[in-house]
Amino acid sequence: MSILEDISSLLQEGRAKQVVALVRQALDEGIDPKAIMNDGLLAGMAVIGEQFKAGEVYVPEVLIAARAMNQGMAELKEALLRDGVEANGVAVVGTVKGDLHDIGKNLVKMMLESKGLTVHDLGVDVSAETFVNAAEELNADVICCSALLTTTMGEMKNVVDEVKARGLNIKVMVGGAPVSKAFCDSIGADCYTDDAASAADAALAFCLEKRKA
Ligand code: B1M
C-alpha cells in the first residue's frame, strides 16, 4: 500500500494522530501536497461520505473521520498555501435564525471541506441578513442553510429573497430534517438534499459550473 492509501485508510478509521504523522512523512518524502490532499485525505473522506449516504456508517464515525481529516489538513495547510493551491469554491454555512441545532450543519460543513471547498461557518441562529452579508463579503459561491425546527424554516425564504433582491450570483442550498424538495421549490431555493454528503456533491457541482462559465 502506498503512503497515500495508508492516509486514506487511517482517516476512514478516524486515527487522527497517525494521519498527521503520515502527512508529515509524505511531505518529508517530497510528495506533492495536492496529491496528499486529493489522493490521501479527500479520498478517505469521500469513502466515508459514500458509506454515510448508504447508511453503512453513522454520525459518530463521520465526525471522527472528519476530525482526522481536519488535523491532516492543518498539517498540510502551509505547504498548500506555499504551492498556491486554490480551493474548489467558497461556501457559507449556518443554522437559520431561532434554531440552535448544529449537528447536521457541522456534518454539511465537514463534507463540503472534504470536497476541497473553503467553508465559513456562521454557527447557529443566523439571520438571513447575516448569511447574505457574509456570502457577499467572502465572495461565496453557495450559501448552505440548515434548519431542524418547522418554526424556523421560514428564514430560508428570507435568505433566498435577500440574495435575489441584491442580484447576487450565489446559490442557496437548504436542508435539515423538516425541509423537503417541495419546500425548497416553494421558496425558490436552488437545491435541496436530504443528507450532508449529497449537499457537498451538489455544492461542488455548483462551484465548478460557476468557474467554467
Ligand atoms: Co431538538 N428538536 N429541540 N434538540 N432535537 C428535534 C429537531 C425534534 C424533531 C425533536 C422532537 O420533538 N421529536 C423537535 C423539532 C420539532 C419540529 O419542529 N417539528 C425538536 C425540538 C422541539 C427542540 C426544542 C424546541 C425543545 C425544547 O426546548 N422544547 C429545542 C429548540 C432549541 C432551538 O433550536 N431554539 C431543541 C433543542 C435540542 C438540543 C439542544 C437538546 C439538541 C441539539 C444539540 C445540537 O444540535 N448541538 C436537540 C437534538 C439533538 C434534537 C434531535 C434529537 C436530533 C437532531 C440531530 O442532531 N439529528 C431531534 C430529533 C430527531 O431528529 N430525532 C430534535 C442528527 C443530524 C445529523 O440530523 O440535523 O437532520 P440533521 O441533519 C441531517 C439531514 O437533515 C441533512 O444532513 C444530515 C444527514 O446527513 N442536513 C442537510 C442538515 N442540514 C442540511 C443542509 C443541507 C443539506 C442537508 O444543505 C444546505
Side-chain angles (χ1 to χ4, degrees):
M1 230 193 228
S2 75
I3 189 165
L4 299 185
E5 286 167 335
D6 285 342
I7 290 173
S8 166
S9 325
L10 289 164
L11 182 145
Q12 291 167 49
E13 291 165 20
R15 296 176 188 236
K17 273 191 191 157
Q18 283 152 288
V19 167
V20 170
L22 279 191
V23 166
R24 211 172 293 145
Q25 188 187 322
L27 285 171
D28 290 345
E29 287 176 13
I31 297 177
D32 177 10
K34 200 169 179 199
I36 303 175
M37 176 177 79
N38 289 332
D39 304 332
L41 298 171
L42 298 186
M45 203 59 205
V47 173
I48 288 286
E50 289 307 313
Q51 290 174 341
F52 181 57
K53 254 196 250 177
E56 292 163 6
V57 299
Y58 300 98
V59 173
E61 286 97 327
V62 177
L63 295 178
I64 292 166
R67 190 184 55 189
M69 187 192 75
N70 287 336
Q71 292 187 18
M73 284 300 285
E75 192 64 30
L76 258 189
K77 201 170 179 183
E78 212 182 292
L80 286 170
L81 289 176
R82 218 176 23 236
D83 282 9
V85 173
E86 268 188 42
N88 285 329
V90 179
V92 162
V93 306
T95 305
V96 296
K97 189 171 157 189
D99 202 325
L100 305 177
H101 296 84
D102 68 357
I103 299 169
K105 181 267 294 170
N106 291 341
L107 278 177
V108 171
K109 175 186 175 186
M110 287 164 194
M111 291 298 175
L112 292 168
E113 286 174 339
S114 80
K115 295 286 173 190
L117 272 69
T118 299
V119 184
H120 299 275
D121 184 356
L122 304 180
V124 296
D125 194 17
V126 182
S127 70
E129 205 191 351
T130 304
F131 268 117
V132 183
N133 285 345
E136 199 172 7
E137 272 165 31
L138 297 161
N139 201 15
D141 302 294
V142 285
I143 297 176
C144 295
C145 306
S146 184
L148 264 288
L149 300 172
T150 46
T151 48
T152 60
M153 291 159 62
E155 190 67 5
M156 291 173 162
K157 179 170 183 335
N158 297 336
V159 175
V160 173
D161 291 348
E162 191 62 28
V163 167
K164 285 186 183 155
R166 296 191 198 183
L168 301 171
N169 180 16
I170 301 174
K171 301 284 184 191
V172 180
M173 298 179 50
V174 294
V179 181
S180 63
K181 169 90 173 72
F183 176 75
C184 168
D185 294 343
S186 77
I187 63 169
D190 295 290
C191 176
Y192 161 79
T193 63
D194 66 0
D195 68 81
S198 306
D201 290 338
L204 178 63
F206 281 140
C207 293
L208 297 179
E209 202 178 286
K210 192 168 161 187
R211 271 155 182 65
K212 248 199 266 161

